[in-house]
Amino acid sequence: DQQVKQNSPSLSVQEGRISILNCDYTNSMFDYFLWYKKYPAEGPTFLISISSIKDKNEDGRFTVFLNKSAKHLSLHIVPSQPGDSAVYFCAASGLQEYGNKLVFGAGTILRVKS
Amino acid sequence: NAGVTQTPKFRILKIGQSMTLQCTQDMNHNYMYWYRQDPGMGLKLIYYSVGAGITDKGEVPNGYNVSRSTTEDFPLRLELAAPSQTSVYFCASSYPGGNTIYFGEGSWLTVV
């Protein structure tokens, strides 16, 4: 039972355009969401997060949108750069829960073409 | 600025052998974790620890053991390696109550 789903295994985008990575969740108790970025042969690194009291969080070129009614979140990267090519993991948990309660999606491979 | 350090980075094991993946962190985090990542799958929690002397099972603990004698170290032991344990293993740590987890670079393990 996948509680966090990233339905697109891969995404290819031209440099300078917008990248949109999607994530759906099924557990209505989730109220804290994170995106991690992973380069080959490296561990995942924290990118951006959002709690359920917000519907948008922005950090430079990265914006995460949360639609609680649809149980859907998305990560927008504008403009996309070749260095953004990586695997992006969506993760979710309850806000008051600890890291051991994080549930990860399977990841989306983003390729930004120059 | 080391963060979370895992060793070895690569290892090939024969079926039935045992080994220990080492993990150490220098951020004084109380919480530490071991995850595995299989192709096309998300990260699955194997074991976690909320402090020295305290460990607990995650989602996929079978075939593994852990110990936490110090705040810094959290080794993962594979007993009687099986092909199903071929995976990439990530050690991670966080502050108490923190959902932002800091990962090591990963250990690639192949069991043949």
Side-chain angles (χ1 to χ4, degrees), chain B residues 42-85:
Chain B
L43 292 132
K44 302 290 186 185
L45 184 66
I46 305 171
Y47 270 96
Y48 68 97
S49 168
V50 300
I54 306 170
T55 63
D56 207 347
K57 295 177 181 179
E59 186 181 354
V60 289
N62 291 344
Y64 307 94
N65 276 301
V66 293
S67 60
R68 184 96 181 269
S69 57
T70 66
T71 300
E72 295 78 20
D73 301 306
F74 190 41
L76 176 73
R77 177 126 182 110
L78 281 74
E79 304 282 2
L80 297 174
S84 61
Q85 293 178 303

Side-chain angles (χ1 to χ4, degrees), chain A residues 63-74:
Chain A
T63 303
V64 56
F65 294 92
L66 176 62
N67 183 333
K68 292 184 288 293
S69 61
K71 294 191 179 70
H72 176 83
L73 64 154
S74 60

